[in-house]
């Protein structure tokens, strides 16, 4: 696997709300934040572009709605914004895909000649997977280090629960089998960085 000199790291929805254990069910992958931080640091040190994405929920009871502390980026991400020598973009969105946010992510990538994306963040099977799928559909070379993501247990329409680990594995399988994205560990991407 090769990482292009201008591959963009897309950091999805790493916001305070996800830490609210009273609101969200159990999560997986406790190493996710460390892996996200390593990738951001690697991208910034190399002068590669980094895109920070924030979900601004329109739902009145969501802890991710604007004006709430839960909407803020987590400290380890916020303190890294503006620290790299490469280009940086901040996107806000109200849906799952970062490609449907403001400003227009696809236009920014295309104007910069960026064709490769590394997508990390929260939640593995929602906004990370949706952004990766859409990026693949739009013709970008997408890489997802799933160990730099996490998700939560969820209940399906049949009332049966799937664990965060099951959903995590399903996302990696969906992206790989559907050829939406390549799956790679953070360590491999940091080495190539």
């Amino acid at each position: 696997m090769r990482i292009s000199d201008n591959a963009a790291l897309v950091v999805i929805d790493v916001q305070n709300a996800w830490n609210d254990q009273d609101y969200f069910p159990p999560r997986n992958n406790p190493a996710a934040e460390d892996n996200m931080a390593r990738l951001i640091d690697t991208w910034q040190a190399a002068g590669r572009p980094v895109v920070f994405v924030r979900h601004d929920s329109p739902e009145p009871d969501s802890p991710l709605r604007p004006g709430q502390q839960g909407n803020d980026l987590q400290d380890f991400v916020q303190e890294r914004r503006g620290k790299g020598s490469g280009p940086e973009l901040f996107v806000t969105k109200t849906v799952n895909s970062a490609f449907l946010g403001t400003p227009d992510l696809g236009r920014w990538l295309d104007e910069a000649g960026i064709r490769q994306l590394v997508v990390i963040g929260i939640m593995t099977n929602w906004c990370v997977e949706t952004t990766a799928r859409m990026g693949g559909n739009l013709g970008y070379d997408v890489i997802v280090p799933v160990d730099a993501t996490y998700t939560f247990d969820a209940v399906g329409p049949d009332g049966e629960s799937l664990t965060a680990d099951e959903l995590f594995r399903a996302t990696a399988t969906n992206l790989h089998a559907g050829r939406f994205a390549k799956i790679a560990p953070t360590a491999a991407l940091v080495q190539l960085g």
Side-chain angles (χ1 to χ4, degrees):
M1 178 180 317
R2 183 181 175 280
I3 303 297
S4 81
D5 290 340
N6 72 341
L9 181 68
V10 183
V11 184
I12 307 278
D13 302 348
V14 186
Q15 294 166 253
N16 288 327
W18 306 118
N19 292 327
D20 185 347
Q21 295 176 356
D22 294 329
Y23 193 87
F24 292 101
R27 64 169 271 193
N28 73 328
N29 194 17
E33 289 88 348
D34 287 342
N35 288 331
M36 291 181 217
R38 288 173 61 207
L39 285 163
I40 295 168
D41 291 345
T42 298
W43 250 249
Q44 289 181 324
R48 289 192 178 105
V50 179
V51 178
F52 294 99
V53 181
R54 186 184 72 206
H55 188 79
D56 289 347
S57 177
E59 301 297 324
D61 62 342
S62 172
L64 291 163
R65 72 188 184 281
Q68 304 299 309
Q69 184 181 6
N71 181 257
D72 295 340
L73 295 176
Q74 293 181 24
D75 289 345
F76 82 94
V77 171
Q78 183 60 37
E79 69 192 17
R80 286 171 167 82
R81 286 190 59 209
K83 302 293 187 196
S85 57
E88 184 176 302
L89 181 69
F90 181 67
V91 174
T92 60
K93 63 182 181 57
T94 59
V95 294
N96 301 106
S97 177
F99 283 97
L100 298 176
T102 304
D104 186 314
L105 174 60
R107 179 178 300 147
W108 185 81
L109 295 168
D110 291 346
E111 287 175 356
I114 297 168
R115 299 308 307 159
Q116 188 176 56
L117 310 177
V118 175
V119 183
I120 65 173
I122 310 166
M123 296 169 42
T124 312
N125 56 313
W126 285 7
C127 297
V128 171
E129 183 172 353
T130 302
T131 299
R133 283 175 176 256
M134 195 164 179
N137 285 164
L138 291 169
Y140 295 96
D141 176 20
V142 181
I143 301 166
V144 179
V146 290
D147 63 353
T149 74
Y150 67 83
T151 192
F152 300 87
D153 293 359
V155 178
D158 59 0
E160 295 293 321
S161 292
L162 292 176
T163 67
D165 281 337
E166 289 170 325
L167 294 166
F168 186 82
R169 287 193 311 272
T171 290
T173 301
N174 288 336
L175 292 175
H176 170 78
R179 297 185 180 169
F180 295 105
K182 297 176 187 82
I183 305 300
T186 292
L189 298 179
V190 169
Q191 276 185 332
L192 294 171

